[in-house]
Amino acid sequence: MGDREEKALRNIRDNYRRIEQSIVEQLYMENNIHGTTVGTMREEVWQSFFESIIPKKFSIERSVFIIDSNGKISNEVDLAIFDEIYTPYIFKYRNMKFMPIEAVAVVVECKSKKANDEKLENWANSIKNLHTSKISYARMATGIASGDIPTQENTRPIQILCCMHSRDNKNFDFIIQALQPEKNEAELHIKYNNLDKRDNLDECDHPDNSLLGWLGDLNGLYKGSDKFSQLKRKKEAQELTQISLEAYEVPNVSILTFNFQLNQLLMLINNPMLFPHQAYAKMFRDLEG
């Protein structure tokens, strides 16, 4: 690596540190006139943060309810990161948004005050209780795909908690903490929970932090799954067992580390899923029964 290239990379790293400080300072900006305005502003700061690292194939919406074709509806989601190209909204009018679980890749809960563990668990479980449907039809390059297709049978969103207090919570994949600036040093502390330490996940075949463990969990390939057993026997899957999220860490640059970790996990989800139009149509048709 030449001097020019090394200087450019150091500049990129240092800019990430300055961005991190700016994000925290914005989050702690006080406004004593209207508390709701502050809450909205902080959600916009978090949204801007995710927009800076998420590929453009994804969209980000605030204040969303996620729904499945069984009629289950999540608690309100502060930020939803989703595929808007192939999957329609179930309902969208002004600020009222109902989004199908098949479209959602990441859900984010934003907390300015110290969060209640029971409420956070209820929020996380309201996402866990949603299930994708396999009733779908689409023209593919090799023919017509229908029903139980091999590209994506199931998925769950990556769950992220953004908060302004130091805390642990095993209901989330990632916790992003914006710590109060001291001595002009503002920091984002970003950490992930290993799958074997998560409270609200079913037991998966690889309850560890390997990429194969994450692949199995995010795609619903749990212990006893024939397809996961088949996957494990493949040569490339064996390589995944040797790689953990720690391999993506960049020391002292939290945002860059998170950028690589989150986007690697997104690549383990086969987006887009085929949308089960018929399953949702049946759900509404059954209301007339």
Side-chain angles (χ1 to χ4, degrees):
M1 183 188 302
D3 291 342
R4 174 175 172 273
E5 290 81 4
E6 182 175 344
K7 183 177 180 181
L9 293 178
R10 289 184 182 278
N11 284 338
I12 292 173
R13 182 196 61 191
D14 294 342
N15 276 323
Y16 267 107
R17 290 172 176 162
R18 284 190 283 270
I19 291 170
E20 178 179 345
Q21 183 169 351
S22 174
I23 290 171
V24 177
E25 289 173 348
Q26 290 178 66
L27 289 168
Y28 277 94
M29 185 182 299
E30 294 188 8
N31 185 330
N32 296 321
I33 299 175
H34 201 299
T36 304
T37 301
V38 176
T40 300
M41 181 273 290
R42 285 172 176 159
E43 285 186 12
E44 290 175 349
V45 172
W46 286 121
Q47 180 175 352
S48 178
F49 164 65
F50 283 102
E51 287 174 343
S52 71
I53 63 174
I54 294 293
K56 292 301 181 184
K57 65 169 286 188
F58 293 105
S59 299
I60 303 180
E61 282 276 14
R62 289 173 36 223
S63 301
V64 170
F65 293 94
I66 303 174
I67 187 171
D68 70 9
S69 58
N70 297 311
K72 293 180 180 177
I73 301 175
S74 73
N75 293 356
E76 186 174 9
V77 173
D78 291 329
L79 296 175
I81 299 172
F82 63 103
D83 185 336
E84 195 173 25
I85 297 176
Y86 293 95
T87 306
Y89 282 87
I90 298 304
F91 182 82
K92 181 180 181 181
Y93 182 72
R94 296 184 178 177
N95 293 328
M96 183 65 70
K97 290 157 281 193
F98 286 84
M99 186 179 297
I101 184 62
E102 286 80 7
V104 183
V106 181
V107 290
V108 182
E109 176 78 336
C110 303
K111 290 294 182 184
S112 297
K113 300 179 180 179
K114 196 165 185 178
N116 178 283
D117 283 333
E118 183 177 355
K119 290 182 179 179
L120 288 176
E121 183 176 2
N122 289 338
W123 184 92
N125 284 334
S126 79
I127 306 295
K128 177 189 174 184
N129 291 334
L130 302 172
H131 296 286
T132 54
S133 172
K134 299 178 182 179
I135 305 175
S136 56
Y137 304 93
R139 177 182 176 274
M140 310 292 281
T142 56
I144 301 296
S146 63
D148 190 357
I149 62 169
T151 55
Q152 182 71 70
E153 298 177 18
N154 193 13
T155 188
R156 75 161 179 88
I158 298 166
Q159 299 186 21
I160 299 175
L161 173 64
C162 295
C163 56
M164 299 174 66
H165 300 274
S166 180
R167 65 167 302 122
D168 289 313
N169 191 288
K170 296 179 182 178
N171 290 292
F172 294 84
D173 296 299
F174 289 90
I175 299 178
I176 305 176
Q177 304 168 358
L179 300 186
Q180 179 74 50
E182 294 181 2
K183 298 180 180 179
N184 297 320
E185 294 183 2
E187 295 182 321
L188 284 179
H189 283 197
I190 305 176
K191 59 183 178 180
Y192 56 83
N193 283 317
N194 287 3
L195 294 177
D196 59 345
K197 296 181 180 179
R198 291 288 307 278
D199 280 347
N200 67 328
L201 297 184
D202 297 324
E203 184 180 5
C204 66
D205 209 12
H206 262 285
D208 56 32
N209 201 41
S210 74
L211 288 190
L212 187 63
W214 283 99
L215 185 152
D217 185 75
L218 292 173
N219 292 280
L221 301 175
Y222 299 113
K223 188 174 182 179
S225 164
D226 290 338
K227 293 200 173 184
F228 198 28
S229 297
Q230 295 171 13
L231 175 64
K232 282 173 30 179
R233 290 194 290 269
K234 294 184 177 181
K235 181 179 179 181
E236 57 269 27
Q238 295 303 313
E239 182 178 350
L240 294 185
T241 65
Q242 306 302 315
I243 304 173
S244 74
L245 289 184
E246 292 179 358
Y248 300 84
E249 291 181 358
V250 179
N252 303 315
V253 194
S254 296
I255 299 179
L256 190 55
T257 295
F258 180 65
N259 185 340
F260 293 138
Q261 291 175 338
L262 178 60
N263 281 294
Q264 174 61 86
L265 293 185
L266 287 174
M267 292 186 72
L268 299 180
I269 303 175
N270 289 326
N271 284 301
M273 286 191 67
L274 298 185
F275 182 66
H277 302 82
Q278 184 181 159
Y280 282 90
K282 182 180 183 301
M283 176 183 69
F284 283 103
R285 191 165 59 246
D286 287 348
L287 293 175
E288 304 299 325

